[in-house]
Structures are given as C-alpha cells and as structure tokens.
Amino acid sequence: MSGEEKVRLARAYLAAVAEPPAPALAACVAERGPVRTAALVHGGSAPGAVADEVESRRRHVSGADLLAATRRIGARLLIPEDPDWPAERFGLLAGAAEVGVPGMAAPLALWVRGQADLGTALTTSVAVVGARAATGYGEHLAAELGHGLASAGCAVVSGAAYGIDGAAHRGALAAGGTTVAFLACGIDIDYPAGHGRLLRAIAQQGVVATEYPPGTTPRRHRFLVRNRLIAACGQGTVVVEAGSRSGAGNTANTTDALGLPLMAVPGPVTSASSVGCHDMVRSGKAVLVTSTPQVLEMINPLGAAPPVDPVPAARRTDALEPRARQLHDAVSACNGADADRLAQESGLSLRAVRALLPEMELAGLIERKEGGWAVSAG
C-alpha cells in the first residue's frame, strides 16, 4: 500500500470514529498526522481527551469498508492532502479552535459528489441561509440572490434544506453557476427526501459534501454541527428570513465568531419569519443588504476600490479598505518582497496577505515581479 493510500485509509477511519466536530481528535491529527493517530486510536492508546471522543466507535469502524462503500455509491473521499481541499476556508475553523472558540474544528475529511473542484469553487463564495418555513417573499429573494451571485462568479453555499436554502441553490443552478450543499447526514442519503432531484442537480453543476460517513442518518444536533462548515465556506453569510431562534441564527453566530461578514435581508416588520434578521441588524451583528451588488461589496476585500482605469494608483488607493491599504503601504516600502515578508511588514496574517495580493493585482495596484511583489508602474 502506498503512502497516499495509507493516509486516505486513515482519514476514512478517523472521520467516522468520532462524532464531529471532535476538536481533540482534530488537534491530535494536526500534531501527529493521520496515520499515526489512526494507529493510536485503533490500538486504544489515544491521549485522554481523544480517547473520550473515539472510545465508543474505535472497534466498530473500518476505513477500508468505508472507502469501498464510498466507491459503490459513486462518491469519493476528499482529504486535506488532496489538491482541491479548501484549506483556507477550513483553516478558519482550525484557527478558531486554537483560540478556544467552542464547537470549532476543521473536518478530518469530506465525502463528496459532484463535478466541481471544491477548493476552486470556494475561492469566491457566499453562504445563503434562512428559514425552512420560508414565505414566498423570502424564497423569491433567496432565488434572486442565488442567481445574482452565481452570475457574478460566486459559488452559492447552503444546506439543501426546504425554504431559503433550496431557493438559493435553485437560483444559482438557473444561472448556470456553481453551488455547494453541505449535508447533515451521509452522502448516500437524500435529505430532505423531497430534494433528491435538487441534490442530483447540485452534484451535476457543483458539489454535495458532508463530513458524515455513508449511512449516517440526520439528527438535530448534526445540523447545528454542519452549519459551521457552511459559515466557514462562504466569504460572507447572507441570512434571508430567520425566526428569533433558528438554525440560520446558529450559522450567523458562527460566521460572526469566525470574523466573516454577516449580512441580513430585511422583511416586513409584522413577519415572524424576519424577526431574527431584524435583531441581527439592530444589534449591529449583521449589515442590512437588499441586493446582489450590496453583498458583493461586503465580501470584496478591496471594498470600494474601482477597477483598473487611467486614474493614478496613488489616488485609487484612497478608496481601499484598511487592510488593503495597510498591505499596499507594505508593498511600497519593501518593493519586491514575498508574502511572508509582507505579512511581517504589514502586521497582517499570512492568510490575509495571500487573499489580498491577487485582488490588488487584478485592480492594477501591484504586480508580481521576479523578486516578489511591487507597486504597479501604472
């Protein structure tokens, strides 16, 4: 067995041996690697916190059987070692776990079906979530947003539920764009059953994904755990209709905890379906949005920076949002530095620098040269 096959086998075992999010197991894998961790778990030698998470299943899970079942149903196991793993998106969850945010951990693997490359799809993405018992108003707006975002090149991320989720997915599909659905059950289960055709359409045009192994049935707590993946996989989250207590509110709270833009669509003040959205805006947690351009403005790292035009770069940088201006100043000072040096010079995280550099290059503010990044001559 090759090294790659051993890693995939270990990941399959580990992803099924503990109920997600399993933060102790995820930390152990990050420290010791999947193959070594799988051996410790299977042999009953896992550290204390990890042992608590895996004890009830460690003797009853077979990675080989899971991989065989995955092949039989036409799915595949996506792991962090694969090139299309969305490392940046799930890095947010790992980072939140490191600073002690409860309930956070990156998935150990994902079972996926679909034609799209998940990592590429999530390069530019927006999560659209909301009430299952949505009104006609809410479903119409969700579909419009899904269509508009997909038309603008964004992948629409949601949970394939009835109501707002389904409307957002359909809007993206109608636009011919990419949409990603995260399930709270096994990849072989259509849930809700009435969305079987929708899930097949999503797989044909995007990706259906889950961290739960084949055969896992949906349970209430799994939807809440799944929501962290939806929140992390959008560059921002839009809530279209939510009651005062709802799963969409849970996704919104996770989005806020991860430091990502949270947006809410207003509804009639008399509508119980929009109470949660109005509370998010009133508390300052969410920004009110009513259209696709407003959502795109929130997720664009360059904020109001205009496209490349004849205006001198010195004037165009005045419109940059603070982090982009901070990075531009570092590029100006170093003039030929790589991303690591720019992170040190600017004080931004390396992740933020790597996200901003391509955007600034497209805006004509900087350019990549042989020695590193430099301010654009234009």
Side-chain angles (χ1 to χ4, degrees):
M1 183 182 296
S2 69
E4 180 181 340
E5 290 171 330
K6 289 180 180 178
V7 169
R8 196 168 302 277
L9 184 65
R11 288 275 184 188
Y13 172 75
L14 293 169
V17 79
E19 185 74 14
L25 179 59
C28 187
V29 172
E31 179 183 351
R32 306 183 188 211
V35 175
R36 176 60 180 154
T37 301
L40 289 172
V41 170
H42 191 267
S45 302
V50 177
D52 290 341
E53 293 178 347
V54 303
E55 184 57 33
S56 62
R57 297 179 185 170
R58 68 179 183 84
R59 299 181 187 88
H60 308 287
V61 171
S62 166
D65 289 349
L66 284 170
L67 290 178
T70 301
R71 289 191 292 271
R72 284 197 300 270
I73 61 178
R76 69 188 180 97
L77 186 70
L78 181 66
I79 61 176
E81 290 77 12
D82 289 329
D84 51 338
W85 180 263
E88 183 173 351
R89 306 315 311 167
F90 291 144
L92 295 173
L93 294 173
E98 288 176 4
V99 298
V101 179
M104 292 294 125
L108 294 166
L110 292 174
W111 278 267
V112 301
R113 286 190 286 119
Q115 301 300 314
D117 176 314
L118 185 60
T120 300
L122 297 180
T123 300
T124 306
S125 54
V126 177
V128 181
V129 299
R132 286 176 172 79
T135 66
Y137 162 85
E139 290 195 6
H140 172 77
L141 285 177
E144 287 289 318
L145 283 172
H147 190 282
L149 290 166
S151 298
C154 292
V156 176
V157 181
S158 199
Y162 289 132
I164 298 303
D165 289 17
H169 287 305
R170 291 189 183 94
L173 292 171
T178 301
T179 186
V180 177
F182 281 101
L183 306 182
C185 56
I187 197 71
D188 55 333
I189 298 175
D190 289 341
Y191 189 89
H195 274 180
R197 181 179 297 180
L198 174 62
L199 288 167
R200 288 189 290 275
I202 293 171
Q204 290 173 359
Q205 204 163 301
V207 179
V208 179
T210 178
E211 63 183 328
Y212 294 100
T216 304
T217 57
R219 293 181 183 168
R220 190 175 185 279
H221 75 275
R222 289 177 178 147
F223 289 96
L224 298 178
V225 171
R226 178 276 314 265
N227 287 347
R228 83 191 194 286
L229 304 183
I230 296 175
C233 285
Q235 289 175 286
T237 296
V238 183
V239 182
V240 185
E241 292 198 322
S244 57
R245 294 174 61 86
S246 64
N250 172 262
T251 307
N253 290 335
T254 302
T255 300
D256 184 56
L258 294 175
L260 295 168
L262 177 62
M263 296 153 274
V265 175
V269 296
T270 54
S271 173
S273 298
S274 291
V275 168
C277 292
H278 297 159
D279 285 346
M280 292 175 202
V281 174
R282 186 170 180 267
S283 67
K285 181 182 293 185
V287 173
L288 184 148
V289 294
T290 59
S291 65
T292 298
Q294 291 178 359
V295 175
L296 294 174
E297 181 182 337
M298 285 296 297
I299 68 163
N300 181 2
L302 295 183
V308 178
D309 57 32
V311 180
R315 285 172 53 194
R316 285 189 272 125
T317 56
D318 292 341
L320 293 178
E321 59 98 2
R323 292 191 312 160
R325 190 180 306 119
Q326 192 174 336
L327 180 56
H328 189 272
D329 289 345
V331 175
S332 301
C334 297
N335 205 34
D338 61 15
D340 289 314
R341 172 72 190 284
L342 291 172
Q344 296 175 27
E345 184 69 24
S346 65
L348 298 170
S349 69
L350 183 58
R351 184 183 297 116
V353 168
R354 286 175 173 166
L356 287 166
L357 286 172
E359 298 282 349
M360 295 175 68
E361 182 181 27
L362 286 173
L365 297 171
I366 61 174
E367 56 187 341
R368 192 196 300 266
K369 294 189 174 181
E370 187 174 344
W373 293 94
V375 172
S376 175

